[in-house]
Amino acid sequence: MSVEITSPRFKDNAKRALADGPLQAALSKVGPGFIGKRTAAADKLPEFDALRDSARDIKDHTLAHLDLYLERFEEKVKAAGGHVHFAVDAADARDIVTKICRDLGARTVTKGKSMISEEIGLNDHLSAAGIEPVETDLGEYLIQIRGEAPSHIIAPAIHLNKEQVEEDFRRVHTHLAPERNLSEPTALLAEARGELRQKFLVADVGITGANFLVAETGTSIIVTNEGNGDLTQTLPKAHIVLASLEKLVPTLEDVSQLLRVLARSATGQEMSVYTTFSTGPRRPGDPDGPGEYHVVILDNGRSGMLGGPLKEMLRCIRCGACMNHCPVYHAVGGHAYGWVYPGPMGSVLTPALIGIEKGANLPNASTFCGRCEEVCPVRIPLPKLMRHWREKEFERHLTPAPQRYGLAVWGFFARRGWLYRPATGLAMTLLSVLGRKKGRFAALPLAGGWTGHRDFPAPEGGTFQAQWRAQRAARNTRHANRDAKKDARP
Amino acid sequence: MTSSRDTVFASVRRALGVTSQEAPRRQEADGRLAGHPRGLVPARAQLPAAARLALFKDMVVAAAASIDHLPSADDVPGAVASYLRGRNLPPTILRGGDARLAALPWHREPNLDVWIGPSDGRQLAGLSHAFAGVAESGTLVMLSGPDNPSTLNLLPDHHLVVLDAADVAGDYESVWTRIRERFGPGVMPRTVNWITGPSRSADIEQTLLLGAHGPRSLHVLLVGGA
Ligand code: SF4
């Protein structure tokens, strides 16, 4: 799996994605698949929005006391017989993991899905050290055998169709009968299950991510539907947990609040199938479980975000709802973003982790429609944070000249609301009349950088502001952050 | 040489503008850790006993698991045998050494082969005893320990779980309270597994399929309280 960063080529990536038929077919299912399920789950729980407030507050409280909760977490892991390792950056984390594996003489490592592993490029590093990493989440396994990066943070192979999977399985599982029937997803799943079962049973070390770390008890938590993470951590000699430092929460009660919004936001489930709380290694008398338990806590630039304008991004619980609801993600998919974190959360996080020079294009990969913020379970003001990067980028003159010009014109109107509203209102009416035939524009003045790669959707009448006002009036019972919304204009 | 640990802590403290020695901050964090305040518990998680049990059963089924409600623990061996028969499985089951499972009248099912121990992946059916159930999501809470191998929850194709109706809580928070009572404050068993339905994956074209890596079927044997 390559960790080559192609974010600076976002526009080319996007162009290629738009011309990729199978990818477009796969992407067309993202919205319908996820959006309805999340809405149904949210509607079934009257307290859902209040729980989102609670989740936000817990994360804010934890981040403000992060030093203290980290201390307690470390203390509790040690008390349970485990080890905590702090890693300043990706290289540091890779070295720590490799050393643990080497000390155990490990040859095979099974892996539960971990975005941190992707972030630090762990698999290539392990392979180079002569240790075979085997991804066990079905989606991760599919992309591993293709040598690809994940295209979604919870559904890493969402860009593939079953014909591609069948082709890959025939290419890789050459010891199986060539005439076997793999036309149905059930057959593909059964084959993967059989192949990976063997890997689980022989692996020396299991590496998982962590959805949460609990300071109160020194516990790491993984949430999966497949059960692969549990097999990964239960069967080998050692369990290594990879976590970034913002995964911390104070107590078991706090994590229960967060779990109530995580699965509902991600897949629309009431709860994911397996939520596993791990504390230390196998205890005396235990018939199974790992002999060693290590937690690697990665910083990699996050501590620097703590006190700054992007600190709210550290509340993210990686549910994927923002990308599931993002029209840009729906159009270009995850790989176009060029690194491990796609969609709105990636557009904010990627420049923070790899530098604005490389990530400058990403905060522009947004229509600023505000749906991401609307669904985020921890209420991260994603459009505002993307705009922060746009401003930074503008200040640094990383923006190509035509775009600077366009923004300056927009700024002129935006600062003069009385002019801006009628002017955009007029333009929108015009555009909607012009575009009605096709529903899409192939070219738009001042927006060449955008429409060069995709059609600009024709307005269905009314500006965002006008539509927003109308919607607000219809839903005046729901409290929403109107100011953040207003801010969210490009 | 500065360790990575020191570097990370220094960087966190610098960003927060703190030294970690400030008494009010410490008090606030320590207070939260010791008091572990409950947040918002949904109304559906606070139902009276009968409605709670009914909700639990509904949620178990909604999560694609199945459930038998048995009058007494003595009915468990018969229910296990009939489950296996109904699915054309061999009359063999692997269980942990849990005293509550050992005390069941297995002799009533002379044809049922009952094995004890962790799973090595070759058994078709496993039987565990749950520590608790949670009505709000139909979740089973399993604790690891000498008598409850975690592998039983994961490796057999069919996972059968005995649960006392009296152990069905409305919410997760009540289960944490019970775990603290059992193990002491701030102490956890090695593994706590929350299980909500059988294993599944939607990684191929978002088609939901059961039986990804863990059990294809999850069957709850709810005992008493009917
Ligand atoms: S930013 Fe919010 S919606 Fe997006 S992945 Fe993170 S928590 Fe989920």
Side-chain angles (χ1 to χ4, degrees):
Chain A
M1 176 167 334
S2 161
V3 284
E4 191 211 350
I5 298 171
T6 68
S7 307
R9 301 199 296 275
F10 176 78
K11 286 182 185 169
D12 294 334
N13 294 346
K15 195 172 182 175
R16 217 173 313 116
L18 288 164
D20 182 335
L23 174 65
Q24 289 299 318
L27 289 174
S28 69
K29 296 178 192 159
V30 175
F34 281 112
I35 294 175
K37 286 182 200 145
R38 178 200 169 273
T39 310
D43 288 350
K44 262 193 271 173
L45 190 68
E47 296 89 348
F48 185 68
D49 278 337
L51 280 163
R52 291 169 64 199
D53 292 337
S54 171
R56 173 199 58 207
D57 296 346
I58 288 167
K59 279 290 193 173
D60 280 345
H61 167 86
T62 314
L63 293 169
H65 299 81
L66 191 60
D67 51 326
L68 303 175
Y69 290 126
L70 280 170
E71 280 177 4
R72 178 66 69 97
F73 177 77
E74 183 185 28
E75 202 179 289
K76 293 304 263 184
V77 172
K78 283 186 187 162
H83 307 270
V84 177
H85 313 259
F86 287 88
V88 175
D89 55 20
D92 209 1
R94 289 190 299 255
D95 290 346
I96 292 165
V97 173
T98 312
K99 180 167 186 325
I100 298 169
C101 293
R102 283 230 171 96
D103 288 351
L104 285 163
R107 291 166 55 193
T108 317
V109 164
T110 43
K111 296 185 66 216
K113 206 176 93 54
S114 158
M115 291 309 295
I116 299 299
S117 167
E118 301 287 346
E119 179 180 328
I120 66 174
L122 183 61
N123 285 359
D124 284 349
H125 193 78
L126 287 175
S127 301
I131 301 162
E132 185 200 4
V134 181
E135 294 290 348
T136 63
D137 171 85
L138 179 59
E140 286 283 340
Y141 179 66
L142 298 180
I143 61 169
Q144 186 184 27
I145 62 180
R146 294 173 66 86
E148 290 180 340
S151 65
H152 190 287
I153 60 171
I154 67 160
I158 200 158
H159 57 289
L160 299 177
N161 60 44
K162 67 179 197 298
E163 288 74 23
Q164 290 168 307
V165 176
E166 172 174 356
E167 210 174 286
D168 289 323
F169 278 13
R170 292 194 188 282
R171 177 173 56 79
V172 176
H173 304 156
T174 45
H175 54 287
L176 299 176
E179 66 279 6
R180 68 197 188 279
N181 184 350
L182 288 179
S183 56
E184 287 305 313
T186 42
L188 295 166
L189 179 70
E191 182 161 317
R193 179 181 164 114
E195 290 297 303
L196 289 167
R197 236 339 136 83
Q198 297 315 310
K199 303 285 188 185
F200 283 125
L201 296 168
V202 302
D204 302 300
V205 171
I207 300 177
T208 69
N211 292 84
F212 304 100
L213 304 174
V214 183
E216 178 196 358
T217 51
T219 299
S220 61
I221 300 175
I222 56 168
V223 177
T224 78
N225 275 325
E226 297 184 7
N228 63 305
D230 294 272
L231 289 168
T232 297
Q233 68 171 59
T234 306
L235 300 175
K237 290 182 239 176
H239 175 201
I240 304 176
V241 180
L242 297 175
S244 47
L245 38 84
E246 82 280 14
K247 293 288 152 71
L248 222 64
V249 292
T251 67
L252 295 167
E253 275 72 6
D254 290 326
V255 85
S256 305
Q257 296 283 294
L258 291 158
L259 286 165
R260 284 194 179 100
V261 295
L262 174 59
R264 290 185 171 95
S265 301
T267 54
Q269 287 166 280
E270 301 279 340
M271 188 54 65
S272 300
V273 177
Y274 301 104
T275 303
T276 302
F277 303 73
S278 307
T279 313
R282 179 195 288 226
R283 309 262 166 97
D286 277 357
D288 50 23
E292 291 182 17
Y293 174 80
H294 299 264
V295 184
V296 181
I297 300 184
L298 176 71
D299 183 339
N300 212 21
R302 289 166 174 83
S303 57
M305 294 164 68
L306 268 177
L310 296 169
K311 64 170 185 279
E312 289 159 299
M313 194 60 224
L314 294 174
R315 293 203 295 259
C316 176
I317 56 172
R318 306 287 188 269
C319 71
C322 55
M323 57 201 76
N324 292 341
H325 290 74
C326 177
V328 177
Y329 181 93
H330 292 168
V332 301
H335 286 156
Y337 292 79
W339 198 49
V340 296
Y341 299 108
M345 58 80 71
S347 294
V348 176
L349 195 59
T350 300
L353 299 183
I354 66 173
I356 182 64
E357 296 77 11
K358 289 181 193 153
N361 272 316
L362 301 182
N364 293 309
S366 162
T367 63
F368 288 86
C369 67
R371 277 152 86 188
C372 49
E373 179 178 5
E374 185 74 3
V375 297
C376 175
V378 283
R379 301 198 186 278
I380 298 173
L382 292 152
K384 185 183 91 179
L385 302 184
M386 279 186 258
R387 212 193 39 194
H388 161 84
W389 279 126
R390 280 193 171 189
E391 283 162 6
K392 267 266 178 307
E393 175 201 353
F394 193 74
E395 281 165 22
R396 297 168 69 121
H397 298 287
L398 291 170
T399 316
Q403 211 168 320
R404 282 211 301 277
Y405 172 69
L407 279 173
V409 171
W410 176 84
F412 172 83
F413 284 109
R415 279 192 299 274
R416 296 161 181 79
W418 52 276
L419 254 180
Y420 178 75
R421 259 175 240 110
T424 53
L426 180 68
M428 284 297 143
T429 313
L430 208 66
L431 288 174
S432 108
V433 173
L434 287 172
R436 197 146 287 159
K437 262 188 255 127
K438 262 174 74 181
R440 300 241 142 185
F441 293 99
L444 206 60
L446 279 183
W450 176 248
T451 51
H453 304 293
R454 71 191 295 268
D455 289 353
F456 188 88
E460 283 160 18
T463 60
F464 178 78
Q465 282 182 341
Q467 289 181 21
W468 177 246
R469 268 196 304 274
Q471 267 190 19
R472 294 273 310 171
R475 293 183 305 166
N476 55 3
T477 48
R478 283 186 61 184
H479 100 275
N481 20 17
R482 183 198 306 246
D483 292 329
K485 276 295 166 197
K486 231 190 313 180
D487 278 358
R489 302 279 307 160
Chain B
M1 202 188 105
T2 343
S3 69
S4 294
R5 182 187 185 281
D6 293 343
T7 308
V8 171
F9 270 98
S11 175
V12 168
R13 288 180 186 126
R14 196 177 328 116
L16 293 175
V18 300
T19 64
S20 301
Q21 302 309 318
E22 298 86 353
R25 290 180 76 242
R26 282 219 166 258
Q27 267 161 24
E28 179 152 2
D30 289 347
R32 192 179 189 101
L33 290 166
H36 41 78
R38 287 184 179 207
L40 174 74
V41 176
R44 83 148 84 130
Q46 305 183 57
L47 300 173
R52 178 166 73 219
L53 220 49
L55 175 64
F56 175 75
K57 287 157 66 169
D58 286 349
M59 296 308 281
V60 164
V61 172
S66 50
I67 188 162
D68 261 350
H69 197 167
L70 309 171
S72 116
D74 289 352
D75 302 312
V76 168
V80 169
S82 97
Y83 176 91
L84 297 174
R85 237 186 347 263
R87 280 156 188 79
N88 286 322
L89 294 166
T92 305
I93 194 144
L94 178 69
R95 68 168 175 87
D98 193 292
R100 293 162 298 182
L101 297 178
L104 299 175
W106 294 108
H107 60 271
R108 290 194 195 167
E109 293 296 329
N111 292 328
L112 184 63
D113 247 350
V114 184
W115 297 79
I116 299 172
S119 172
D120 62 4
R122 287 181 297 175
Q123 299 78 23
L124 286 175
L127 178 70
S128 315
H129 202 296
F131 176 75
V134 181
E136 66 174 293
S137 51
T139 298
L140 298 165
V141 180
M142 319 295 296
L143 307 187
S144 70
D147 297 335
N148 286 290
S150 297
T151 40
L152 277 182
N153 301 336
L154 304 167
L155 287 171
D157 274 9
H158 296 260
H159 187 207
L160 287 75
V161 180
V162 179
L163 170 67
D164 287 338
D167 292 336
V168 176
D171 57 350
Y172 312 112
E173 285 81 352
S174 302
V175 179
W176 296 134
T177 303
R178 276 185 62 207
I179 287 184
R180 286 194 191 95
E181 282 164 11
R182 165 88 67 96
F183 295 87
V187 180
M188 286 276 269
R190 178 181 59 78
T191 310
V192 178
N193 280 117
W194 285 6
I195 302 179
T196 312
S199 160
R200 68 198 63 189
S201 175
D203 273 344
I204 300 173
E205 294 191 353
Q206 293 195 64
T207 313
L208 185 69
L209 302 172
L210 297 184
H213 291 294
R216 299 168 206 270
S217 306
L218 176 70
H219 186 63
V220 181
L221 301 165
L222 183 67
V223 171

